[in-house]
């Protein structure tokens, strides 16, 4: 397929991207090859989901300890609790939307925002891209906000790319989906959570991480908000160097997620978890 009909293919040829793709594949293969995965993969998937949700919430300003996330049942007390609850719901919902993603990514994005909002966001702003003049609440990203017309056009372009598929590696596609949604901030709220949940969907749906045991959200949080934003600015710049840096950052996040699940496997093997 030519780069004209496969616009993400050229990104895979950027300096350093092939190395990132290969490094991610090796990290994912290692955790999938762990002996515990043959017997207890469901437990690893569940734990990865919990840790991924915690990581995504941390980047949106709710940096709770893992055990606090694990024990809590009420996520309606304050803004941080609402964020953690939204992240948990999104992680659970992502696995239910895999079959829809390649046919109707916009429908999936609308559903993700609806699920994230829960009862915390009222009115007709839920589950649809924002209109002209509508404010956006995004605690992490303070870069200039694209206007509603640009958002609509770029979302349409993103949806076309997803539906068309192509030859780009899963890491590249996941990084672009994540970066584009974070850049556009198309919804009135929870855009960071939705962007990271969408990255998760691409990584699972592509076959790179079919059991959802390599939570990139863990890796994004582990690298820290400052590094996350610096890499994201590279994406927004649109330069070859910036795009490659963002893809590499996302690749490292997947590797760290794989490392986290490897540690869980080893703890289970020792009988310590």
């Amino acid at each position: 397929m030519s780069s004209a009909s496969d616009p993400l293919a050229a990104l895979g040829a950027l300096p350093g991207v092939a190395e990132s793709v290969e490094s991610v594949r090796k990290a994912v293969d290692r955790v999938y090859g762990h002996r515990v995965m043959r017997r207890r993969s469901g437990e690893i998937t569940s734990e990865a989901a919990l840790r991924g949700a915690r990581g995504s919430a941390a980047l949106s300003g709710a940096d709770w300890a893992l055990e606090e996330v694990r024990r809590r049942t009420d996520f309606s007390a304050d803004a941080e609790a609402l964020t953690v609850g939204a992240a948990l719901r999104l992680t659970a919902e992502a696995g239910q939307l895999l079959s829809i993603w390649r046919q109707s990514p916009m429908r999936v994005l609308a559903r993700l925002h609806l699920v994230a909002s829960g009862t915390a966001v009222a009115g007709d702003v839920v589950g649809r891209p924002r209109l002209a003049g509508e404010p956006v609440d995004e605690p992490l990203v303070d870069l200039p906000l694209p206007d509603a017309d640009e958002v609509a056009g770029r979302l349409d372009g993103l949806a076309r790319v997803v539906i068309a598929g192509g030859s780009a590696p899963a890491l590249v596609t996941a990084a672009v989906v994540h970066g584009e949604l974070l850049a556009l901030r198309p919804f009135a709220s929870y855009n960071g959570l939705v962007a990271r949940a969408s990255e998760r969907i691409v990584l699972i749906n592509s076959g790179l991480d079919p059991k959802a045991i390599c939570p990139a959200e863990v890796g994004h949080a582990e690298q820290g908000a400052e590094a996350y934003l610096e890499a994201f600015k590279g994406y927004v710049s649109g330069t070859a160097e910036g795009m490659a840096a963002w893809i590499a950052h996302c690749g490292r996040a997947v590797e760290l997620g794989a490392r986290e699940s490897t540690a869980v496997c080893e703890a289970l093997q020792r009988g310590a978890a």
Side-chain angles (χ1 to χ4, degrees):
M1 183 176 287
S2 71
S3 60
S5 56
D6 187 2
L8 301 187
L11 297 179
L14 292 175
V17 171
E19 290 81 358
S20 292
V21 169
E22 181 62 20
S23 183
V24 166
R25 170 51 67 190
K26 288 179 179 178
V28 172
D29 285 348
R30 280 195 296 272
V31 67
Y32 271 84
H34 198 287
R35 61 187 299 178
V36 169
M37 282 295 296
R38 293 195 294 270
R39 298 175 287 109
R40 305 176 73 173
S41 64
E43 292 174 68
I44 307 303
T45 296
S46 295
E47 187 66 17
L50 182 71
R51 294 177 185 224
R54 193 217 73 82
S56 191
L59 284 173
S60 286
D63 191 2
W64 288 13
L66 179 63
E67 291 311 312
E68 176 68 6
V69 178
R70 197 189 303 280
R71 78 167 186 83
R72 283 283 285 267
T73 57
D74 179 11
F75 296 96
S76 61
D78 53 38
E80 286 195 7
L82 289 169
T83 297
V84 174
L88 288 167
R89 291 192 300 274
L90 281 175
T91 303
E93 186 72 11
Q96 309 303 313
L97 299 171
L98 300 178
S99 63
I100 306 172
W101 175 253
R102 284 292 296 273
Q103 286 73 44
S104 183
M106 287 305 302
R107 180 180 165 194
V108 170
L109 293 176
R111 175 64 184 170
L112 289 175
H113 187 247
L114 180 67
V115 168
S117 299
T119 58
V121 181
D124 66 353
V125 299
V126 175
R128 64 156 175 80
R130 55 187 169 82
L131 303 177
E134 290 181 337
V136 173
D137 178 16
E138 179 51 54
L140 185 62
V141 179
D142 61 359
L143 296 177
L145 197 66
D147 64 32
D149 288 341
E150 181 179 352
V151 168
R154 287 172 62 177
L155 281 177
D156 181 66
L158 183 64
R160 289 175 184 274
V161 167
V162 170
I163 292 168
S167 61
L171 171 63
V172 172
T173 303
V176 169
V177 167
H178 181 170
E180 190 70 355
L181 292 173
L182 200 59
L184 295 177
R185 281 149 286 161
F187 300 108
S189 57
Y190 296 121
N191 288 288
L193 295 180
V194 168
R196 291 184 288 276
S198 299
E199 178 186 45
R200 179 184 186 84
I201 287 172
V202 174
L203 293 171
I204 298 168
N205 213 23
S206 66
L208 177 64
D209 181 21
K211 294 183 182 293
I213 60 169
C214 302
E217 305 96 323
V218 167
H220 286 304
E222 186 171 334
Q223 292 178 89
E226 184 176 345
Y228 181 75
L229 287 175
E230 188 61 31
F232 171 62
K233 288 176 183 177
Y235 176 86
V236 173
S237 77
T239 65
E241 295 81 3
M243 294 294 288
W246 171 247
I247 293 167
H249 185 87
C250 291
R252 181 59 179 157
V254 177
E255 291 181 53
L256 291 170
R259 187 179 72 177
E260 184 91 351
S261 286
T262 298
V264 173
C265 286
E266 292 176 355
L268 287 172
Q269 186 169 278
R270 295 191 303 269

